[in-house]
Amino acid sequence: MSCASCHNPRLAFSDARAASQGVHGKAGTRNAPSLLQTATERNFFWDGREQRLEAAVLQPFTNPVEMGLADGALMQRVRAQPDYRADLQAAYPERGDAIGEAELGAALAAYLRSLPRDRSDYDRHAAGDRDALSAEQLAGLEVFRGKAQCASCHLSTGAPATFTDDGFHHLGVNDAAIAGRVAQLLQELPPPGPTLGRTVLSRADIAGLGRFAVTRKPADLAAFRTPSLRNVAATAPYMHDGSVATLEAAVDQEIYYRSLKHGRPISLTVAERRQLLAFLQALTDRDYVASAQP
């Protein structure tokens, strides 16, 4: 297993599976998000259980349904590879032979923060290129910011825009997994940290608790982190469990639950829905446009 097994550079650092497969083909419970926006994110994992990227990148190594290494085996393997050992010592000369997981996590985080991003047609438009977006995409941007209310969670402000509020919201995705069982599941929850991550990826019911598994606050029950919409056309399927197969279906589900939240229907015309989808296509970096084609 490698990081790229679930975060394929050719697929905008996602993997096109509903839920990622780990070592020996073990199935997890989470859809692998793109890693291209990690430099601007404040919360990591769908439940936000980690706030430091340097710590988040280390958790998959010892998760039994991801890379499945035994505790302590990671650095043994790294030190057994002369190239890895030499590269880490060159990057952290002050540590000498005491290179450990902290340095490895810092190196991985530095790589993720270096990934090229913000190179979509939308970014060309934001930089002043009047021809970057078609008339249909420009109309979709208006729908996105206006009638559809997408920008209330997928923020389109800032330079460059992140298209996420980095918060946690409810979409009613797979709520049946926890219906009537919250009190029982609360008793079975491990504390936040790597142990929680192992439980989340091995049990769909615990995974369904969302942010609540971290905070234990009722308002966070079944709430999940708002993903960035950047490269959204290249990262199907969607939602935390990959249960929504297409971008069209994801838009429909978002509109439905946004209507419920606001207590009034958001009724897009056929043309407005088409325009919105056209705009979302414009958020995909040029390097990944080909992978977004059926």
Side-chain angles (χ1 to χ4, degrees), residues 13-34:
F13 290 82
S14 61
D15 68 358
R17 295 179 180 272
S20 295
Q21 287 187 358
V23 65
H24 306 308
K26 293 180 180 178
T29 62
R30 289 284 195 249
N31 177 258
S34 171

Side-chain angles (χ1 to χ4, degrees), residues 73-267:
L74 174 58
M75 292 313 300
Q76 290 178 8
R77 292 198 179 194
V78 169
R79 294 185 183 110
Q81 297 289 330
D83 290 347
Y84 288 176
R85 188 171 64 249
D87 287 345
L88 283 167
Q89 288 175 339
Y92 306 100
E94 72 282 0
R95 295 290 291 158
D97 292 329
I99 293 291
E101 290 188 359
E103 288 75 28
L104 182 61
L108 284 167
Y111 167 68
L112 293 180
R113 292 186 178 113
S114 78
L115 293 175
R117 55 193 178 92
D118 309 330
R119 301 187 300 182
S120 66
D121 287 344
Y122 169 80
D123 293 300
R124 291 172 50 220
H125 165 77
D129 185 345
R130 295 184 177 181
D131 299 321
L133 298 182
S134 68
E136 187 169 55
Q137 289 170 331
L138 288 170
L141 174 57
E142 293 302 314
V143 174
F144 181 91
R145 289 174 170 167
K147 186 175 181 180
Q149 302 179 25
C150 305
S152 61
C153 296
H154 297 283
L155 306 183
S156 60
T157 55
T162 61
F163 289 94
T164 176
D165 61 0
D166 220 26
F168 301 86
H169 301 279
H170 308 83
L171 274 180
V173 177
N174 199 24
D175 283 353
I178 61 173
R181 303 185 57 215
V182 175
Q184 171 197 337
L185 294 175
L186 183 58
Q187 299 301 314
E188 300 172 10
L189 269 177
T195 302
L196 175 59
R198 296 172 186 178
T199 305
V200 163
L201 281 190
S202 61
R203 291 185 53 179
D205 50 3
I206 295 292
L209 295 173
R211 182 65 171 164
F212 177 82
V214 179
T215 66
R216 273 62 166 181
K217 295 179 179 179
D220 289 332
L221 185 62
F224 294 88
R225 185 174 63 85
T226 308
S228 173
L229 293 182
R230 286 186 169 277
N231 300 298
V232 68
T235 56
Y238 304 101
M239 309 302 168
H240 65 275
D241 59 354
S243 59
V244 179
T246 67
L247 185 56
E248 291 81 359
V251 166
D252 292 343
Q253 181 150 326
E254 289 270 0
I255 293 297
Y256 174 76
Y257 280 99
R258 196 169 300 279
S259 297
L260 291 181
K261 178 180 179 180
H262 292 284
R264 59 183 182 276
I266 298 174
S267 300

Side-chain angles (χ1 to χ4, degrees), residues 258-279:
R258 196 169 300 279
S259 297
L260 291 181
K261 178 180 179 180
H262 292 284
R264 59 183 182 276
I266 298 174
S267 300
L268 300 184
T269 66
V270 172
E272 288 169 337
R273 181 177 181 273
R274 184 179 65 248
Q275 292 161 354
L276 177 57
L277 287 164
F279 169 68

